[in-house]
Amino acid sequence: MAKYLLLKHYRGAPAAVNDVPMDRWTPEEISAHVQYMQDFADRLEKTGEFVDGQALAPEGSWVRYDGEGRPPVTDGPFAETKDLIAGWMIIDVDSHDRAVELAGELSAAPGAGGKPIHEWLEVRPFLTAAPTVTE
């Protein structure tokens, strides 16, 4: 089994086919979308492929270490940034092909008008071994 991170973007990915921002959806459309996501996760939980998933708020901050004895430096949030992660799901599947298959299915979650979003999802494998450094 291999773990993959499926990333949903508010912005930063290519435009979805049904590209109506969620803040313009009706409460019913939002409920249908969230239910689709939950049903998807429930099904994967039964097959042992679901690890975890969460939606994320658009707010956030950048943080960095600024030296011994000094407080971390923070800046942001940068709502104007190109990449803004909306949520994530971790799956544990037999192959990259299976991860792509599931991401494609998740991309069909309903959006405005109840029609599939056809959004782009980023599929990222977990690093399984430390990179080897050669000279």
Side-chain angles (χ1 to χ4, degrees):
M1 299 290 275
K3 288 184 180 164
Y4 288 86
L5 178 64
L6 307 181
L7 288 169
K8 295 174 65 70
H9 293 261
Y10 284 115
R11 294 194 289 276
V17 173
N18 186 359
D19 195 22
V20 178
M22 190 179 257
D23 62 1
R24 296 198 336 231
W25 295 1
T26 66
E28 294 79 17
E29 290 167 342
I30 292 171
S31 292
H33 180 82
V34 170
Q35 188 62 56
Y36 182 97
M37 302 287 291
Q38 186 60 56
D39 292 346
F40 183 83
D42 290 346
R43 186 169 50 90
L44 294 186
E45 195 164 23
K46 289 177 185 165
T47 65
E49 296 173 306
F50 180 79
V51 176
D52 197 6
Q54 297 291 323
L56 299 173
E59 304 84 34
S61 299
W62 290 95
V63 177
R64 78 159 199 248
Y65 173 76
D66 201 35
E68 189 65 38
R70 299 181 69 180
V73 175
T74 61
D75 201 358
F78 295 105
E80 71 279 1
T81 187
K82 178 183 175 195
D83 294 307
L84 193 57
I85 305 299
W88 53 268
M89 182 178 288
I90 298 172
I91 57 175
D92 195 357
V93 294
D94 289 329
S95 66
H96 180 262
D97 289 342
R98 178 65 174 152
V100 168
E101 176 187 344
L102 292 173
E105 186 178 333
L106 191 57
S107 166
K115 295 180 180 166
I117 298 171
H118 297 283
E119 70 180 330
W120 289 89
L121 294 170
E122 186 177 354
V123 178
R124 300 275 303 268
F126 277 45
L127 187 60
T128 56
T132 303
V133 177
T134 58
E135 293 188 39

